[in-house]
Amino acid sequence: GARLGEEAAQQGRDALRVVFEAAEGSPPDVFLVGLAVLSLIADTAEEQPLLCVVEDAQWLDGPSAEVLVFVAHRLELEPVLVLFAVRDGIAGVLDESGLPELRLGGLDDASASALLEVTAPDLPAHLRARILGEAAGNPLALIELPAAAASLDGSLPAHALPLPRRLEQAFAARLTDLGSDTR
């Protein structure tokens, strides 16, 4: 399986120390780092099942992604789940990884309404309908737009509701992939 011999394990530990700048040395071989991470995760999973979540994985650098994909492909027999969360429409190093994909869409109407009821139960019906329409099932928008609407002091603009700072940052991050003319 994923276990290394003692000499290889020591080489792996040394490689990880260099990677995490706990020791000096030349950049280690990506394969050696992958084996060390695989061994570390497999050893940890012997104690209890393990979930490894990599958020915004589209921003990983090449060597980090290569190590994590290597590990994910080799953990089939271990009680470990590696989950990479990537944003749709942003090219990344995981695109050609061969890992299984599960695409998530927006919430359906009933779920979106239920989330809005939990996060903003006192919304007037007209504002509730408007937020449900503008959020289009996006959970973050359903949580953030009620606060933005409340800041308007009852005067709703005819155009879209103001974009809360967190939503603005989330969507602005997508602009960096566009050419300067498009931006």
Side-chain angles (χ1 to χ4, degrees):
R3 310 301 181 277
L4 300 177
E6 187 52 42
E7 183 179 337
Q10 184 59 49
Q11 290 175 343
R13 286 190 292 271
D14 292 344
L16 288 178
R17 284 187 189 98
V18 170
V19 167
F20 291 112
E21 298 179 353
E24 290 190 21
S26 58
D29 178 70
V30 172
F31 180 72
L32 180 60
V33 174
L35 284 175
V37 171
L38 178 62
S39 182
L40 180 65
I41 289 174
D43 288 348
T44 302
E46 283 183 354
E47 298 170 21
Q48 64 184 13
L50 190 59
L51 171 64
C52 302
V53 179
V54 181
E55 178 85 20
D56 281 332
Q58 72 278 357
W59 305 129
L60 286 171
D61 62 276
S64 296
E66 193 175 335
V67 164
L68 292 172
V69 167
F70 173 86
V71 168
H73 277 294
R74 285 158 183 82
L75 286 169
E76 293 176 355
L77 300 177
E78 307 293 339
V80 177
L81 177 64
V82 180
L83 178 66
F84 295 96
V86 295
R87 293 184 191 174
D88 213 14
I90 299 176
V93 292
L94 296 175
D95 291 347
E96 304 300 321
S97 69
L99 293 170
E101 290 184 21
L102 173 63
R103 295 195 169 273
L104 301 178
L107 299 175
D108 60 49
D109 291 344
S111 299
S113 185
L115 177 59
L116 193 55
E117 181 60 36
V118 168
T119 59
D122 298 329
L123 276 178
H126 71 285
L127 187 53
R128 178 182 182 77
R130 183 146 178 210
I131 288 173
L132 285 168
E134 289 191 28
N138 181 314
L140 181 59
L142 290 163
I143 292 168
E144 297 289 332
L145 283 176
S151 71
L152 296 174
D153 298 325
S155 59
L156 290 177
H159 55 285
L161 292 169
L163 205 53
R165 186 87 176 126
R166 280 183 37 187
L167 278 176
E168 184 178 345
Q169 289 172 341
F171 291 118
R174 295 180 179 183
L175 296 176
T176 59
D177 290 335
L178 301 175
S180 60
D181 290 343
T182 306
R183 275 195 305 265

